[in-house]
């Protein structure tokens, strides 16, 4: 609209300045558009009070304003990221009691739960885990899926539509090769990492940096691939603290396959295998594989964790229930933890 009026008045148009700014941005995103709008607003002034300037001088001034605006935004973005990292370090080092730190799990790493990539890394990205571990977090949770060429890659959804730079590339993870995934850029400019990449980062960081790995229900092949990864890289096993799933059949099968690693002579004398936990829900199941566990009655847990009458799994990962904060609920959790490992997972908004 401005350019149409400018043509009528015989003024210079802005399209030739604004479009290159928009398309030269690493991502054609809202911030890039905002910079263009800011420049446009600056130009919507009463020209009668201004001195005449040549077209070259005019275009040069527009270019300088664009660069300054971009530079200021970049500095602000860096400041925001630094502030978030300071908050995380301060939280782990000063705000949370030291005794609780080993019990905390960073869900999909240190990330923005609303998928914004400006201030924090994206979920399930390598930087989201490295940021958390470097700040002093011990455990980070991740979700894994199997690619078409049988590589374990970090992915929560069945596809990358929600996180991808180009949402039109919505093929299922299981239909993508690792080569195709490498070319699939996230909003943050990174790519989905292999589980192997993340375990190696944990090993490099050292200390208590370990993963809690979730395998989606029905994805038996991912369990087989995980055991295969452990067989090829036994030095990384200790960096996997827990493997869990909502699928009881998958978890008991995984127990058998991990036992076979020892039977086949894998050198695990000084290596602690990951604990296997069964995920449960706090409401009546909506899917066939879900198991409902109420804090008022844990009587079924024994049967869930046994296979053919023998202990098989180490514990349960329960969905949060408000009763867990009450004396009776706390007592029930305490009693359960005498016999099994107990974890609690939560939804956004839970206390």
């Amino acid at each position: 609209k401005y350019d149409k009026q400018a043509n009528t008045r015989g003024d210079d148009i802005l399209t030739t300045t604004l479009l290159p700014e928009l398309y030269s941005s690493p991502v054609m995103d809202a911030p890039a558009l905002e910079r263009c709008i800011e420049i446009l607003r600056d130009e919507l002034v009463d020209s009668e009070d201004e001195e005449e300037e040549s077209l070259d001088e005019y275009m040069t001034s527009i270019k300088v304003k664009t660069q300054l605006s971009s530079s200021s935004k970049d500095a602000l973005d860096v400041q925001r990221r630094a502030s978030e990292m300071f908050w995380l370090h301060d939280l782990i080092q000063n705000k949370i009691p030291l005794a609780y730190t080993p019990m905390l799990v960073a869900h999909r790493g240190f990330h923005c739960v609303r998928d914004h990539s400006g201030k924090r890394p994206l979920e399930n990205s390598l930087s989201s885990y490295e940021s958390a571990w470097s700040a002093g977090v011990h455990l980070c949770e991740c979700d894994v899926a199997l690619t078409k060429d049988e590589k374990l890659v970090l992915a929560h959804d069945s596809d990358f539509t929600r996180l991808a730079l180009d949402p039109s590339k919505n093929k299922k993870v299981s239909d993508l090769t690792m080569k195709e995934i490498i070319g699939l850029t996230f909003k943050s400019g990174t790519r989905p990492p292999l589980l192997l990449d993340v375990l190696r980062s944990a090993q490099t960081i050292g200390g208590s940096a370990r993963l809690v790995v979730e395998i989606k229900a029905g994805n038996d092949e991912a369990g087989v691939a995980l055991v295969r990864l452990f067989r090829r890289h036994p030095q990384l096993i200790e960096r996997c603290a827990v493997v869990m799933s909502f699928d009881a059949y998958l978890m008991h099968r995984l127990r058998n396959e991990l036992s076979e690693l020892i039977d086949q002579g894998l050198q695990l004398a000084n290596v602690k295998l990951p604990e296997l936990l069964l995920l449960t829900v706090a409401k009546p199941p909506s899917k066939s594989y879900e198991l409902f566990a109420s804090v008022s009655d844990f009587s079924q847990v024994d049967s869930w964790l046994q296979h053919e009458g023998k202990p098989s799994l180490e514990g349960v990962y329960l969905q949060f229930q408000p009763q867990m904060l009450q004396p009776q609920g706390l007592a029930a959790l305490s009693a359960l933890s005498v016999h099994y490992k107990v974890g609690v997972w939560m939804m956004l908004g839970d206390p």
Side-chain angles (χ1 to χ4, degrees):
K1 289 181 179 179
Y2 178 86
D3 281 355
K4 287 179 180 178
Q5 295 174 6
N7 281 329
T8 302
R9 297 191 305 265
D11 294 338
D12 298 319
I13 63 175
L14 292 178
T15 301
T16 53
T17 298
L18 296 179
L19 283 182
E21 160 65 17
L22 180 64
Y23 284 96
S24 65
S25 172
V27 182
M28 288 192 295
D29 56 1
L33 204 55
E34 287 171 2
R35 290 198 297 273
C36 293
I37 293 172
E38 287 172 5
I39 296 169
L40 183 58
R41 284 173 176 161
D42 289 342
E43 293 305 309
L44 292 173
V45 295
D46 188 356
S47 60
E48 292 181 359
D49 296 331
E50 294 185 341
E51 296 181 2
E52 289 294 328
E53 61 180 349
S54 68
L55 178 60
D56 288 341
E57 291 173 335
Y58 174 74
M59 288 304 182
T60 299
S61 68
I62 293 292
K63 185 175 181 181
V64 170
K65 290 176 183 178
T66 301
Q67 292 172 341
L68 289 174
S69 175
S70 178
S71 176
S72 299
K73 182 187 177 301
D74 288 343
L76 182 60
D77 286 343
V78 170
Q79 185 178 2
R80 286 172 175 170
R81 294 189 191 104
S83 177
E84 289 292 301
M85 290 306 303
F86 174 81
W87 173 85
L88 177 63
H89 281 258
D90 184 55
L91 177 72
I92 300 301
Q93 304 298 331
N94 302 317
K95 301 294 174 56
I96 296 175
L98 190 60
Y100 294 168
T101 305
M103 305 176 193
L104 298 177
V105 180
H107 187 237
R108 304 180 208 169
F110 178 61
H111 73 287
C112 177
V113 295
R114 293 178 177 83
D115 302 333
H116 298 162
S117 62
K119 296 194 294 185
R120 298 183 183 180
L122 280 181
E123 67 175 56
N124 279 332
S125 62
L126 191 57
S127 56
S128 70
Y129 295 99
E130 291 174 343
S131 296
W133 285 325
S134 298
V137 175
H138 290 201
L139 299 171
C140 289
E141 184 265 359
C142 71
D143 311 274
V144 296
L146 199 63
T147 65
K148 187 176 181 179
D149 49 352
E150 299 188 341
K151 305 291 185 183
L152 280 172
V153 67
L154 269 59
H156 176 269
D157 303 343
S158 60
D159 57 45
F160 291 112
T161 303
R162 181 168 54 89
L163 302 177
L165 194 61
D166 183 358
S168 66
K169 295 181 178 179
N170 56 359
K171 291 175 66 176
K172 289 186 176 182
V173 179
S174 57
D175 293 331
L176 293 167
T177 64
M178 193 58 208
K179 179 180 179 180
E180 291 173 313
I181 287 176
I182 288 174
L184 181 70
T185 309
F186 276 167
K187 296 174 184 177
S188 59
T190 60
R191 66 164 176 84
L194 287 166
L195 176 61
L196 182 60
D197 298 332
V198 185
L199 287 172
R200 282 174 170 163
S201 281
Q203 185 182 38
T204 300
I205 292 171
S208 301
R210 294 193 294 168
L211 275 178
V212 174
V213 177
E214 179 182 348
I215 302 176
K216 297 302 180 184
N219 199 353
D220 294 12
E221 295 82 1
V224 174
L226 181 62
V227 175
R228 185 166 59 242
L229 185 152
F230 287 161
R231 183 179 291 112
R232 293 175 179 173
H233 305 277
Q235 75 279 8
L236 297 178
I237 295 177
E238 64 181 358
R239 292 301 161 185
C240 182
V242 170
V243 180
M244 61 185 184
S245 178
F246 286 100
D247 190 330
Y249 170 80
L250 183 157
M251 292 305 296
H252 288 298
R253 179 181 174 182
L254 181 60
R255 166 57 67 207
N256 290 334
E257 291 173 346
L258 285 174
S259 299
E260 290 177 3
L261 286 179
I262 300 174
D263 296 339
Q264 293 168 2
L266 187 64
Q267 299 299 315
L268 295 175
N270 299 316
V271 176
K272 187 179 185 301
L273 290 174
E275 294 172 334
L276 305 186
L277 304 185
L278 190 60
L279 283 157
T280 69
V281 295
K283 296 179 180 179
S286 59
K287 299 182 175 67
S288 60
Y289 55 80
E290 291 180 338
L291 297 172
F292 168 61
S294 171
V295 72
S296 61
D297 182 14
F298 288 136
S299 59
Q300 290 181 295
V301 170
D302 285 338
S303 62
W304 293 341
L305 302 184
Q306 293 182 8
H307 181 62
E308 296 180 349
K310 298 179 181 179
S312 176
L313 309 181
E314 279 80 12
V316 286
Y317 216 102
L318 308 167
Q319 183 175 8
F320 171 78
Q321 300 166 54
Q323 300 93 317
M324 290 178 176
L325 300 179
Q326 303 302 319
Q328 206 168 11
L330 288 170
L333 286 173
S334 181
L336 184 64
S337 66
V338 171
H339 305 286
Y340 301 110
K341 294 289 184 178
V342 178
V344 178
W345 65 275
M346 313 172 78
M347 300 291 288
L348 182 63
D350 285 338

